[in-house]
Amino acid sequence: MRGRELRGELDAFLAETEQDLVAFRRDLHMHPELAFAEYRTTQRIVERLTAAGLTPSVLPRGTGLVCDVGSGDGPTVALRADIDALPLQDEKDVSYRSTVAGACHACGHDVHTTVLLGTSLFLAQQAAAGLLPGRVRLIFQPAEELPGGALEVMAHGGISGVDRIFGLHCDPRVDVGQVGLRPGPITSACDKLSIRVSGPGGHTARPHLTADLVFALAKILTELPAALSRRVDPRSSLSLVWGRVEAGTAANAIPDDGIAEGTVRCLDENAWHAAPDLIKSLLDSVAGAYGIEAELDYKRGVPPVVNDEVSVEMLAEAAERVLGAGAVIPTQQSLGGEDFAWYLESIPGAFARLGTRSPAGVTYDIHQGTFDVDEKAIAMGVRIMAATALTALWEVGPLDSITSAMA
Ligand SMILES: [Zn+2]
Ligand SMILES: [Zn+2]
């Protein structure tokens, strides 16, 4: 069986390339680039893929790329890494510290990129040896942090013809050598909304002759979250929380406008899709009752990443095959957002959490200037991604390609 040989093949490949991959990661770490400005990063990846005999295709903006390994026949499995850095200062004291002021790979996307590069090189070897029973689409996605890079990839056909997609994210609370997984939602949705209310204004002695805008705004602030808690399935954990409210300048004057801003977080995809229309209708009914005008500006973030059960099983099986029994641990749904969600709205797939903490070492957090990883996680990531792609191809592939892969 192919699966049994895979572990040894990966070990041999990594014995030769692990140091080189660590150096590649450190180079990216020293030269972080922000969303849609990942030109150098893109170039570095292109150079390495081209040298391995692959034909990468850079996205039209010049940042991010896709590249196929293997033949066009049979199933296609996509592997995705995000390549952008964050606009914050690197606070680490290490030789590979960021050389760019105000930019840092503090979300581990340099690790994701390196893992996918290593996986690409391994799969290219497998394809050259006639051991790839289908096609693997490598997606080096720009601008995850914006977010929106996933939509850019999709707009240019990045997942057309793809049967299944997989991705990883560094998890500094999980030890290196382990991978966190969960079927169903694993990240959350987060949107922003802004409400502007307006009315004629007037003297506080005569609210009945004008529209009492401040009172109406207060009703909106309390009624909307209350009504949502009764109109939406509580299991979706949809929550509207205000962060800013402003109206008026004097104690005895009813103002003619006001503003309220907040976020909508949600664990459930259906509730997330329904949220803007529902909030709009609740807002109209409360504002209408008090005779004021209300305008809603609803800014969509990302939907939750909802892991497909079969894909989770494939990833878990693959990870155990190459990392050993007990490597896969359950993980919780986080309240963070991740634009991998956009792919999973179109095709099934799974997103996993790659352990990056040194056993008994410091627990870092992502989006902090001190964030760093145990670099052994790179080789672990390559093992998981390569094995996942092959497992998915073996399991979804037509019978003849499985037979030829086993021959
Ligand atoms: Zn991030
Ligand atoms: Zn990230």
XYZ file of all heavy atoms in Angstrom, residues 86 107 109 144-145 169 366-367, ligand 1:
71
model
N 1.628 41.396 8.562
C 0.757 42.334 9.278
C 1.434 43.689 9.463
O 2.657 43.762 9.627
C 0.438 41.770 10.666
C -0.668 40.733 10.736
C -0.634 40.030 12.075
C -2.031 41.375 10.510
N 1.458 36.591 11.999
C 0.342 35.630 11.954
C 0.846 34.286 11.428
O 0.069 33.373 11.190
C -0.807 36.164 11.103
S -2.409 35.413 11.495
N 2.184 33.566 8.493
C 1.949 33.258 7.079
C 3.261 32.911 6.360
O 3.233 32.235 5.329
C 1.225 34.416 6.383
C -0.148 34.694 6.946
N -1.029 35.597 6.402
C -0.792 34.169 8.022
C -2.144 35.623 7.121
N -2.022 34.769 8.115
N -4.610 37.772 2.920
C -5.606 37.152 3.813
C -6.037 38.143 4.871
O -7.189 38.168 5.291
C -5.022 35.891 4.477
C -6.062 35.051 5.214
C -6.495 35.623 6.550
O -5.654 36.172 7.261
O -7.702 35.541 6.889
N -5.096 38.972 5.333
C -5.383 39.845 6.472
C -6.304 41.003 6.108
O -6.832 41.672 6.980
C -4.089 40.400 7.075
C -3.147 39.335 7.644
C -3.624 38.750 8.961
O -4.648 39.207 9.497
O -2.954 37.825 9.453
N -3.243 26.655 9.637
C -2.839 27.907 10.280
C -2.040 27.588 11.541
O -2.391 26.677 12.279
C -4.049 28.771 10.638
C -3.669 30.217 10.805
N -2.900 30.673 11.849
C -3.924 31.285 10.024
C -2.709 31.977 11.702
N -3.314 32.375 10.600
N -0.795 34.992 18.234
C -0.681 35.604 16.908
C -1.141 37.058 16.978
O -1.828 37.471 17.911
C -1.463 34.820 15.823
C -2.909 34.588 16.231
C -0.791 33.499 15.521
C -3.766 34.004 15.113
N -0.741 37.822 15.986
C -1.023 39.266 15.904
C -0.349 40.040 17.038
O -0.853 41.078 17.470
C -2.536 39.563 15.851
C -3.162 39.184 14.551
N -4.149 39.917 13.930
C -2.930 38.127 13.730
C -4.493 39.334 12.786
N -3.767 38.231 12.655
Zn -3.896 37.033 11.064
